[in-house]
Amino acid sequence: MSTLRNSVKLIGHVGTEPEIVNLDSGKKLAKFSIATNEYYKNAKGEKVSETQWHNLVAWGKTADLVENYVPKGKEIAIDGKLTSRSYEDKTGTKRYITEIICNEILLLGK
């Protein structure tokens, strides 16, 4: 049951070209977003599409995979965990962000 704690599984399309960062420590970081779509019918019977955007982060070999095989628009499945952090922007305002740390990525589609 412990594998269910803080577990995220999503299928979506990559919304931005991944940003690849090579850190001084030698580690590689990939940052990108995916869009997931949900469809339902409203009270009038009309089909409604709702899109959610998710910020993703990948490290190491997973970041290598993203760099080489995951362009904007690619459909992927991910398995990861949620994390939240805060930072100060250029104006000194404290900002909060929630991201998904990718443990695995599966390439889908063409």
Side-chain angles (χ1 to χ4, degrees):
M1 226 19 152
S2 65
T3 58
L4 294 176
R5 295 176 201 251
N6 196 6
S7 178
V8 177
K9 296 178 188 320
L10 295 173
I11 296 175
H13 288 87
V14 177
T16 58
E17 284 297 330
E19 177 187 344
I20 307 299
V21 179
N22 291 300
L23 302 174
D24 293 338
S25 64
K27 291 184 177 183
K28 185 176 285 188
L29 166 68
K31 294 194 253 183
F32 59 106
S33 64
I34 65 168
T36 56
N37 296 305
E38 183 177 349
Y39 303 96
Y40 62 91
K41 289 191 177 184
N42 64 15
K44 296 178 183 177
E46 301 165 330
K47 185 176 180 180
V48 178
S49 173
E50 190 172 291
T51 302
Q52 297 289 323
W53 288 93
H54 311 277
N55 296 314
L56 284 82
V57 174
W59 292 93
K61 292 186 187 284
T62 308
D64 288 336
L65 177 81
V66 171
E67 180 179 31
N68 294 315
Y69 301 105
V70 181
K72 178 181 177 179
K74 178 75 175 164
E75 186 178 26
I76 62 171
I78 66 101
D79 177 53
K81 66 179 184 175
L82 280 177
T83 185
S84 296
R85 62 183 174 86
S86 63
Y87 64 95
E88 284 190 16
D89 67 12
K90 294 175 185 173
T91 64
T93 305
K94 193 166 191 174
R95 303 281 182 183
Y96 298 90
I97 188 167
T98 299
E99 299 169 316
I100 299 168
I101 307 296
C102 296
N103 296 325
E104 291 184 55
I105 296 178
L106 178 63
L107 305 176
L108 304 173
K110 297 178 183 178

